[in-house]
Amino acid sequence: MLNLRDKDTSMSSDKRQDILDTALQLFVEQGFHATSTASLAKAAGVANGTVFHHFGSKQGLISTLYLDIKSQLATDILPDEIPALPMNSQDIKLLSASIWNSAIDWAVDNPMKQQFFKTFSHSSVLDQTIRDEAMKKVMGFIEQLIVIGQQQGLLSQFPIELMLENCYGQYTHSAGYFIAHPQHAQSTEHRDAAFAMFWNALSVSTE
């Protein structure tokens, strides 16, 4: 039987999630600065003070939202750990393709969250430390994979940070394409082409 304390905790958790869900929609549709905490609270069906109780400020709210969604993305697309070493070139490419396609699937299934990333990933609204923390949730694993690929001579010896930005940029644009053209989202031809362009930008030229 649920006691009163558990019930209060559950209700508080529900309100917190309602605020996050509402913030996602309003920040994407209206923008961060155009969305007041009062209008957000009204849309979420909570008191204005409840927003500040859970997040401290509107800045705290968008930071929490960004980190939460990045965590969801990481959980959905990444394996729990790098497979046992040594990994050969084929293993690295197959694992990269698996992560890439899982990320595209996630974006197609969560278009509003993907749009939120596109809008705010490089926005001054988010503190750099928040963006760095969020990036590590997803890209920390990718960074390990790139380092292994470079050590094996499979991937180009470009600066890691630049390669990570390139990975993220290509993913964002490809995800946007498949969201805008859902008829191609499950097309093997289009999906293979998207990954091939991504992979060719990272791998060592064979010419």
Side-chain angles (χ1 to χ4, degrees):
M1 182 177 180
L2 191 68
N3 62 40
L4 291 178
R5 179 173 295 179
D6 290 338
K7 183 177 180 181
D8 289 343
T9 300
S10 177
M11 290 177 64
S12 178
S13 178
D14 289 344
K15 287 182 179 180
R16 181 182 184 278
Q17 191 58 53
D18 287 343
I19 295 168
L20 288 170
D21 292 343
T22 303
L24 171 64
Q25 181 176 351
L26 294 183
F27 288 160
V28 168
E29 293 178 351
Q30 300 178 179
F32 177 76
H33 295 295
T35 302
S36 68
T37 54
S39 64
L40 194 155
K42 182 178 180 180
V46 301
N48 196 25
T50 304
V51 176
F52 293 97
H53 169 73
H54 284 287
F55 304 101
S57 65
K58 190 167 72 166
Q59 188 70 44
L61 171 57
I62 194 171
S63 296
T64 300
L65 178 62
Y66 192 77
L67 291 173
D68 277 6
I69 297 176
K70 279 288 188 180
S71 293
Q72 293 170 27
L73 174 61
T75 298
D76 287 348
I77 73 170
L78 298 179
D80 293 332
E81 59 185 13
I82 288 281
L85 298 178
M87 293 177 64
N88 61 39
S89 298
Q90 187 66 15
D91 290 336
I92 294 173
K93 187 173 183 179
L94 287 174
L95 180 55
S96 299
S98 175
I99 294 171
W100 170 269
N101 283 307
S102 293
I104 295 296
D105 286 338
W106 186 91
V108 171
D109 290 340
N110 299 277
M112 187 168 290
K113 292 177 181 179
Q114 183 62 34
Q115 182 60 44
F116 177 78
F117 285 155
K118 184 177 180 180
T119 302
F120 294 106
S121 286
H122 293 91
S123 170
S124 59
V125 165
L126 286 170
D127 186 80
Q128 184 62 48
T129 57
I130 295 296
R131 293 202 299 271
D132 290 345
E133 182 180 347
M135 188 65 76
K136 287 179 182 178
K137 289 180 182 295
V138 176
M139 303 306 280
F141 186 101
I142 307 300
E143 181 175 348
Q144 295 179 59
L145 204 56
I146 290 174
V147 169
I148 294 171
Q150 288 180 329
Q151 290 172 345
Q152 295 193 5
L154 178 64
L155 301 182
S156 300
Q157 299 293 325
F158 296 135
I160 291 292
E161 287 188 4
L162 185 59
M163 293 188 77
L164 290 173
E165 285 293 336
N166 182 71
C167 288
Y168 186 72
Q170 289 208 56
Y171 159 68
T172 299
H173 288 296
S174 292
Y177 173 84
F178 287 118
I179 290 170
H181 302 86
Q183 70 274 22
H184 297 318
Q186 300 305 320
S187 162
T188 301
E189 178 185 3
H190 287 78
R191 293 290 290 263
D192 287 351
F195 176 72
M197 288 186 283
F198 164 76
W199 185 255
N200 290 341
L202 301 179
S203 58
V204 173
S205 174
T206 57
E207 294 182 359

